[in-house]
Amino acid sequence: MLKPFLNIAALLGALLLVTACPPKPEPYRPPEPEPEDPVLAVTVPGAYGVSGGNQVYNPDRHQLSVLECPDGTQLFRLIDVGERKVLSIGNLPVTLQKGKELKLDYRVMVNGYTLQSQTYENVEVLKVTSQMIWLKKDEGTYFVLKR
């Protein structure tokens, strides 16, 4: 008659032992990095997805220049001397920070006449390096600028 009580006591002791031990903590897993924006893979300077079509740097035809304006902004230009065409992207602060939004002015001129002119608001600064700047208006419109 004593045997069933010993089995129950052993079972209760095992149960108490199992419930008294804290569960093993999950191993630390660092958060997964955010996927990189595909715009950052573009390394050719230019304006992409703008009205009138992409305006992209071709080293055989174009010159690049950056002007610092007296008002503390920069003006990026892509110049095609043969076509007398100038693409300018202006109103950019000299100091840019990733994640900030800004307003930029976009203009295409041929022979001194403006063919296209547009102000883009809420343009996000995706990345800034000592050589390049990536700006994004939306999934289809972005700007890659050489410093």
Side-chain angles (χ1 to χ4, degrees), residues 69-82:
C69 302
D71 64 356
T73 62
Q74 293 178 321
L75 177 68
F76 294 84
R77 297 188 308 172
L78 189 149
I79 304 164
D80 186 328
V81 178

Side-chain angles (χ1 to χ4, degrees), residues 2 5 11-12 31 35 44 58 87 89 97 114 116 121 129 142:
L2 193 56
F5 289 110
L11 182 63
L12 286 175
V44 178
N58 176 341
L87 159 77
I89 298 170
Q97 290 182 333
T114 299
Q116 296 168 346
E121 296 191 30
T129 69
Y142 54 93

Side-chain angles (χ1 to χ4, degrees), residues 4-55:
F5 289 110
L6 289 176
N7 288 341
I8 291 174
L11 182 63
L12 286 175
L15 185 60
L16 182 61
L17 184 62
V18 168
T19 58
C21 295
K24 286 187 175 181
E26 288 286 322
Y28 173 74
R29 291 186 182 132
E32 291 190 24
E34 291 184 29
E36 188 172 87
D37 194 305
V39 169
L40 297 176
V42 179
T43 59
V44 178
Y48 297 84
V50 293
S51 61
N54 296 344
Q55 300 290 325

Side-chain angles (χ1 to χ4, degrees), residues 4 13 26 28 45 48 55 59 80 83 85 89 105 113 125 132-133:
E26 288 286 322
Y28 173 74
Y48 297 84
Q55 300 290 325
D80 186 328
E83 289 187 17
K85 180 177 174 181
I89 298 170
D105 297 322
Y113 296 99
V125 179
M132 302 287 286
I133 300 169

Side-chain angles (χ1 to χ4, degrees), residues 72-74 76 90-96 101-103 133 147:
T73 62
Q74 293 178 321
F76 294 84
N91 199 31
L92 295 168
V94 173
T95 305
L96 295 168
E101 290 189 349
L102 51 86
K103 177 173 83 170
I133 300 169
R147 292 187 128 190

